[in-house]
Amino acid sequence: MSTIPIDVRAASEKDADQLAGVQARAWQGAYRGIIPGLALERFIGERDGRWWQRVLRRRMGTLVIDFDGTLAGYATCGPVRRRIVPADGEIYELYLDPDYQGVGLGARLFNAAAKHLATRRLKGTVAWVLDVNEPAVAFYRAMGGQPLAKSGEVFGGTRFEKTAYIWR
Ligand SMILES: CC(C)(COP(=O)(O)OP(=O)(O)OC[C@H]1O[C@@H](n2cnc3c(N)ncnc32)[C@H](O)[C@@H]1OP(=O)(O)O)[C@@H](O)C(=O)NCCC(=O)NCCS
């Protein structure tokens, strides 16, 4: 029997095109029927390979799950963006390709991102999630996140409530 290696590693510029593909599929899976279609397609279209190359050059914390050369998901993380929450670190995004969801890879990526933040001496982690994204809310709760703060965000003219989950 052969085994397929699964690696969580820092992303490099070579990953840009695959990251754009993973993101497009994950966003369509998570937000189709929730975020108005045109707005969703615009967001996805903006985040092409060149967009990812610029992100990766800035050396923000970007981790990928590498499934024997195929990217299954990614997380971006770094210093907290909105100081209204008592945490130094933030997971900005965490998305898995739909084909790879539900088998423990999200938990693995989450733990790697939390460790990445802790090794940079960022104490406490926060992640914002849209309330309508019920699978993601269930995931963050299963990972031990506590709801802490509310805010809102407008996509395509529709306002969505979002909640900050915290790990102290
Ligand atoms: C949300 C997401 C990251 C979870 O990753 P995953 O690999 O599917 O989740 P895992 O298999 O690692 O599950 C980890 C825990 O979360 C729970 N969980 C995950 N999805 C769940 C769901 N839809 N409903 C209930 N619990 C869920 C699991 O039961 C597990 O709990 P346990 O440890 O108590 O058994 C992934 O499904 C995804 O990328 N979804 C689409 C994009 C998205 O919404 N990202 C979050 C944006 S804020």
Side-chain angles (χ1 to χ4, degrees):
M1 188 183 80
S2 63
T3 52
I4 297 176
I6 303 174
D7 188 21
V8 180
R9 60 168 175 81
S12 78
E13 282 188 50
K14 286 189 202 137
D15 297 316
D17 287 339
Q18 276 209 68
L19 278 164
V22 169
Q23 176 164 48
R25 289 187 291 279
W27 282 27
Q28 278 158 351
Y31 301 125
R32 187 178 281 155
I34 296 178
I35 291 179
L38 275 177
L40 181 58
E41 289 312 314
R42 199 178 60 241
F43 281 119
I44 290 172
E46 283 167 0
R47 291 186 166 212
D48 58 6
R50 277 186 305 181
W51 186 92
W52 274 104
Q53 267 175 1
R54 287 197 296 277
V55 168
L56 294 166
R57 263 183 235 125
R58 274 190 254 134
R59 294 170 183 270
M60 188 171 68
T62 304
L63 303 175
V64 292
I65 292 217
D66 185 331
F67 213 94
D68 201 23
T70 299
L71 297 195
Y74 73 89
T76 54
C77 58
V80 72
R81 290 172 296 186
R82 298 178 68 188
R83 290 234 147 249
I84 59 169
V85 289
D88 296 331
E90 179 170 347
I91 295 177
Y92 308 130
E93 294 187 358
L94 195 157
Y95 287 94
L96 292 182
D97 194 307
D99 286 349
Y100 295 88
Q101 292 174 13
V103 292
L105 297 179
R108 203 158 149 187
L109 200 47
F110 176 91
N111 289 330
K115 191 170 163 198
H116 176 91
L117 294 172
T119 56
R120 276 150 190 79
R121 298 210 170 84
L122 295 170
K123 195 166 175 292
T125 301
V126 73
W128 286 91
V129 59
L130 297 186
D131 293 353
V132 289
N133 188 355
E134 291 172 7
V137 169
F139 167 74
Y140 283 127
R141 285 184 178 271
M143 296 307 296
Q146 298 292 320
L148 178 83
K150 288 270 184 197
S151 186
E153 198 159 343
V154 175
F155 294 103
T158 305
R159 181 184 159 91
F160 294 90
E161 294 304 309
K162 60 181 185 179
T163 300
Y165 287 83
I166 190 162
W167 294 260
R168 294 178 196 274

